[in-house]
Amino acid sequence: MTVANNELEKVIIQSVMEELAKKGLLSHKGKDQVMAAAMMDTPLVPNTESEEMVTFPPQEEMQISNPFNADAVKAMKKLTPARIGIGRAGTRPKTMSLLRFLADHAVAQDAVFLDVSEEFLRRMNLMSVQSAATSKDEFLQRPDLGRRLSEEAVKIVSEKCEKNVQVQILIVDGLSSTAIEANIPDLLPALIQGLKSAGIKVGAPFFVKNGRVWVQDHVASIVNSEVIISLIGERPGLGTAESLSAYMIYRPNENTVEADRTVISNIHKGGIPPAEAGAHLTDVIQQILAAKASGVKLNQQK
Amino acid sequence: MPESTNQRITSVGIDIGTTTTQLVISQLTIENTASGTLVPRVEITDKEVIHRSRIYFTPLLDRDLINAVEVSKIVETEYMAAGLTPEMIDTGAVIITGETAKKENAKAIIDALAGFAGDFVVATAGANLEAIYAGKGSGAALYSAQRHQVTVNIDVGGGTSNYAMFHEGKAVDSSCLNVGGHLIEFERQGDRITYISEPAETALKHRGQRLQVGERVTLPQLRPIVKAMAGCVVDVLKTSVHTELTKELLMTPPLQLAHPIRKVMISGGVADYVYALNGPMTMAEVTAFGDFGPLLGWELKVCLERDGFVLEKPEETVRATVIGTGTQSVNLSGSTIHLQENTLPIRNVMVISPFTSLIPETPQSIAEVIKKEILRLQVDRFEGIVAIAMKGPRTMSFANIDILAQGLLLGMHDYLCKAKPLILVVEADCGKVLGQCINASVNKPLEVICIDQLEVDNCDYIDIGKPLMGGRVVPVVLKTLVFNR
């Protein structure tokens, strides 16, 4: 790039910046920073102090300009967390809806890749063991490893867990650690209270890291509980990353198939509130214990 | 689920008004609408009217005392006509409206109908409740939800016009005006006046017009007074600054008009004339039923259209209220129901809403609020049963729900000592866990009904019927709605 061109460039940048600053679209600090970067031909390093957080307008805010029936749009938006009634700019989404989409995607990725924090497990007084998957990457690449306990975990569970209880509760990170931290503090006490008031014998709940649903079969084979219930983070979507499922099975064995499990899904603050879910799961577990069956077999008995 | 996922119940609605008595029999389908992986949610999924009665004149002993024995005969006749026996009826509601909405009447009707359906709910409906039932029966409520347009239903009957405003299917406002088609009575198809009611006298006075019983009137003489009454009906829709006449004829506070009105529906006896192509041309046409209903209907249409209101045709006109009573009065609800079967049905449960804002933080302060409210309303002297209504716990956390449970037990301690059931109505989705917390904290069995996802802040009394769907839900009827909050 020649000097003359560079000079011309600087003049153009300067006048654009000043115009933007005049219109209030660029702070003075921001303008100086960009100018300095342009003059010195140095790469622009974002200044974290001057960076502002993007705050999204509330989801229910009208995004469509000149709606024919605003009440209808509001009513429909209330029915679904899906991205409807978000307006458009030509054939493209508006900046805000695109940013919201990207942000929600980031939240979903965090839910999968982050671990349930040690602090959380301590606070909830949960013993923690690991599946046969030794890392997040391995867990994601090898579903089979997430379905059984590591050798060390087998040892811990057989030493520390009470055997032959009626119900064993597992908390499993699955595909959303966020769901565990968001729901377990309200769900678990409600579930335990419900089971205890019903006079059901419950083993101490514990946490399985890098676990999938089937890991419950492995645990059940060790603790020999009648019913085993996994509270497991669901694969996050763009609507929420906090959704939790409860999988319950009556005495799983080598012939167990997916249809043998009873599931209650969509537990999160926008779905079934976690505390209420705990009370409902108590009912379901009582039914499973009475019927000595779960999943489709339970439904067929009804 | 252990119970079938689908149940049909037969419901009877009886509307006993100042002038007419009607009955409809409907079949309601109750289903668990949640998929298997969700918490069951039982809802009424279908309503079908299977029998419509004749329209009877209300049997009266005197001006406002109902002949309950005659009413029971009407019910008996109509059951027979529908091919049903009392055992085949699951639930029902009797609504007593207008001048006859008196306690003595309700008591007499309950006694007289005892053999026809034990679980009947009998409501002496205030004008507000009547208006809402009419708007639900006419289809205005559904229309507002399907088209997302605020719709006002005006049920114009013999003596009153009952307004109900619906927004997304919900009643948000109601009012009652003393204008109806029967305020002046005539010889049938004649022009001689046989009776002038008080509100009609008021309207005449305001117009400076004189009419007397026995006098013969011409259509040009009658039209202005009817026009004036129709004007009052529209006045309530238009503005909150009313003419002197409207003010005098209003029987309840006026509409608040918080939402702009998109559509107007007229139901009731005069509705058919609102939607007619031509107005009545002669006095004989006006007084076809011994009143001026046809002319009021027509003038109402003219007046509404002049002021730019868009009229929508209702699905039901003269039967709107009774259909609303029969098919719409029942709400299903239920979460935690720990009750002796024979405790239900419970009638006239007084709803108290002690918490005006956020629920306090500790059980003690929650209990204090409840005790204060119980003292204020003198609940201890009230023989009946009360229900405590609230939006929800302070937050949806288990800790807060448990605190609420402790607070409720503490605050209701004296009340519960009288072996009365604890009835809770919560708007938030936490009925099961709240009930569980309460049961976990008492050492002796307590009769608890904890209903959730039901808004009752607008109502004073509820009736709770016998459980359905294997004890999972109870039918709940909300009564006496007041919107002035």
Side-chain angles (χ1 to χ4, degrees), chain A residues 186 190 193 265 276 283 302, chain B residues 1 37 398 430 432-433 436:
Chain A
D186 293 317
Q193 181 195 57
S265 65
E276 184 72 354
D283 280 3
K302 286 172 179 179
Chain B
M1 299 297 116
T37 65
F398 179 72
C430 63
K432 264 191 134 87
V433 63
Q436 179 184 299

Side-chain angles (χ1 to χ4, degrees), chain B residues 119 337 339-346 423 449 464-467 473-475:
Chain B
D119 305 340
I337 301 160
L339 267 187
Q340 310 291 333
E341 178 85 354
N342 53 16
T343 310
L344 291 172
I346 306 176
I423 304 179
I449 307 181
I464 303 174
K466 277 207 186 298
V473 291
V474 283

Side-chain angles (χ1 to χ4, degrees), chain B residues 338-366:
Chain B
H338 295 281
L339 267 187
Q340 310 291 333
E341 178 85 354
N342 53 16
T343 310
L344 291 172
I346 306 176
R347 293 205 182 86
N348 294 318
V349 176
M350 184 164 84
V351 175
I352 59 176
S353 309
F355 309 104
T356 45
S357 54
L358 204 58
I359 305 261
E361 266 175 73
T362 64
Q364 288 73 23
S365 39
I366 292 172

